[in-house]
Amino acid sequence: MNNEFVLYGSKVMIAHLNHSNVNCYLSTYKSASAFSKVYDTMPDFWEHTCRRIEDYADGKQGSKARYLIVEKASSQGVGYIELDYSNLEMPEVDIAILEEHRGKGYAFEAARILFLNIFENNSIKCIVWNAFRSNKASRRIAEKLGGNEVEEKNLVMEAMQAAGLKVNPANYEGAPAIVTYEICKRIFMDRFCNQEFIAADITVDNRAKDE
């Protein structure tokens, strides 16, 4: 992926994480993430996450694709969206918007224009969306994008284990449940690709094609 990759919507633009926006990405990520309070109480967990993000900006991208969500009106970072391609056929999305910018339709538009680009330019047939069961806004966006609920899991414990931290499953039995949605290409494209507003409000920076 070219580091200058940018998608423009009517309200937001999505910029690929690179050296020019990594500091903005880090501050936005820490505040917007569902783990923001955990990062404050567990500095080792945040340091691990921070290193992974900085390594990505340095070109060590691994299985993830990371993007900063920028408000067009102010040119300020308002959120982030990431795709984990550990499963190349079914990447998992992580998206979050700063609290003061929620309710403006930014998450839906960012996901919609990025998913459209992915489905149009790759062989991926499905994108996985995880949301806390209590997060009605995130679940509503997943459903609006055509997502189908498939399972529940404990993503908090999985994230701690992925960071290399020792985890006692018994301590996380009460952690908020995660609902998993599958957003399939056929349903998504049927819902969005032929609508006039898609052509009207989405453009791609010509300098930023996939390599």
Side-chain angles (χ1 to χ4, degrees), residues 92-204:
E92 292 192 23
V93 64
D94 177 20
I95 183 170
I97 301 292
L98 291 171
E99 186 173 2
E100 60 268 30
H101 291 286
R102 292 170 189 166
K104 300 179 181 180
Y106 292 168
F108 172 71
E109 181 178 77
R112 176 173 58 83
I113 62 178
L114 181 60
F115 292 0
L116 183 65
N117 181 271
I118 289 171
F119 284 139
E120 285 185 335
N121 296 289
N122 298 277
S123 59
I124 290 168
K125 301 298 183 184
C126 184
I127 294 174
V128 177
W129 182 291
N130 296 307
F132 286 107
R133 175 160 287 283
S134 60
N135 191 339
K136 294 180 180 179
S138 181
R139 295 179 62 195
R140 187 162 54 248
I141 293 171
E143 292 165 0
K144 193 175 177 181
L145 291 166
N148 179 46
E149 182 179 336
V150 293
E151 67 173 339
E152 285 192 10
K153 57 184 176 181
N154 190 328
L155 198 63
V156 175
M157 188 172 69
E158 289 182 9
M160 303 286 279
Q161 292 172 328
L165 302 176
K166 293 183 178 180
V167 175
N168 181 353
N171 295 335
Y172 293 88
E173 289 179 353
I178 296 294
V179 180
T180 298
Y181 292 85
E182 291 182 357
I183 301 171
C184 295
K185 179 177 182 177
R186 179 183 57 80
I187 296 173
F188 180 91
M189 298 301 278
D190 285 347
R191 182 168 296 190
F192 296 110
C193 72
N194 293 322
Q195 296 184 17
E196 292 182 0
F197 71 85
I198 290 291
D201 72 359
I202 300 176
T203 56
V204 182

Side-chain angles (χ1 to χ4, degrees), residues 8 11 24 39 44 48 52 65 71 81 85-86 114 121 143 148-149 168 196 209:
Y8 296 90
K11 300 176 182 178
C24 180
Y39 292 143
D44 288 348
H48 169 83
R52 295 288 294 272
E71 183 182 56
I81 183 167
Y85 286 90
S86 295
L114 181 60
N121 296 289
E143 292 165 0
N148 179 46
E149 182 179 336
N168 181 353
E196 292 182 0
K209 299 296 184 180

